[in-house]
Structures are given as C-alpha cells and as structure tokens.
Amino acid sequence: PRIYLGKEKTTAMGLNNDFIIILPTGKIKDIKASMVVDKELKAPIVKGKAYGTVKITLADKEIASQPLVALKDNPKGGLWTQ
C-alpha cells in the first residue's frame, strides 16, 4: 500500500505465519480472501508491526483472520523524498 511521508512510496505487507484452514469437501470455490489495510499509512513503518488484517470468508461468513504486517521497515523520508 501507499505510504505517506516515507523514504519509499510503498511497503510490502504479508503474514508472520502460514495461514492454514480446513474446509469441508467441495467448499473451495466458496472461499474468499480479503485484506483490510489501515487508512492513510504514514512513515515510519516498522517491520513486523500490524497495519491491517487478512480475512478468510466462506459463504459470506468470516472463518479466520490474521494480522497484516509490514515485511520491511520504511523510515520517514527526508524533505526531497516525502
């Protein structure tokens, strides 16, 4: 996502751990994953800190979620990089 006032304009986000879920037989087509990112992310971004959530839904019902974390640091930029 876009990072305001950061040294870099974007920062990679992901999960700290594997996301394992068990589904009933034949339900794989009904599963959906979505990411909810905090609004207006501002530097500094700290590696490992949560900045949103990854949600897994099955038939429009949330069945699992995990924090969406920064995969690397993005320090506050200088005057020219902001």
Side-chain angles (χ1 to χ4, degrees), residues 5-77:
L5 306 175
K7 186 173 182 179
E8 300 193 24
K9 292 182 181 181
T10 62
T11 298
M13 300 279 177
L15 302 174
N16 274 333
N17 303 306
D18 291 338
F19 208 143
I20 299 171
I21 56 172
I22 298 171
L23 298 173
T25 303
K27 296 293 183 180
I28 191 77
K29 65 181 182 285
D30 298 327
I31 194 169
K32 293 181 184 174
S34 63
M35 289 186 293
V36 179
V37 180
D38 297 345
K39 293 182 180 180
E40 254 189 65
L41 296 176
K42 291 183 181 178
I45 300 296
V46 179
K47 180 180 178 179
K49 183 177 176 188
Y51 291 95
T53 308
V54 176
K55 296 180 181 183
I56 303 295
T57 58
L58 179 64
D60 297 325
K61 181 180 176 186
E62 184 178 324
I63 59 170
S65 66
Q66 278 195 23
L68 182 67
V69 299
L71 297 178
K72 66 177 194 170
D73 291 327
N74 188 352
K76 195 168 186 177

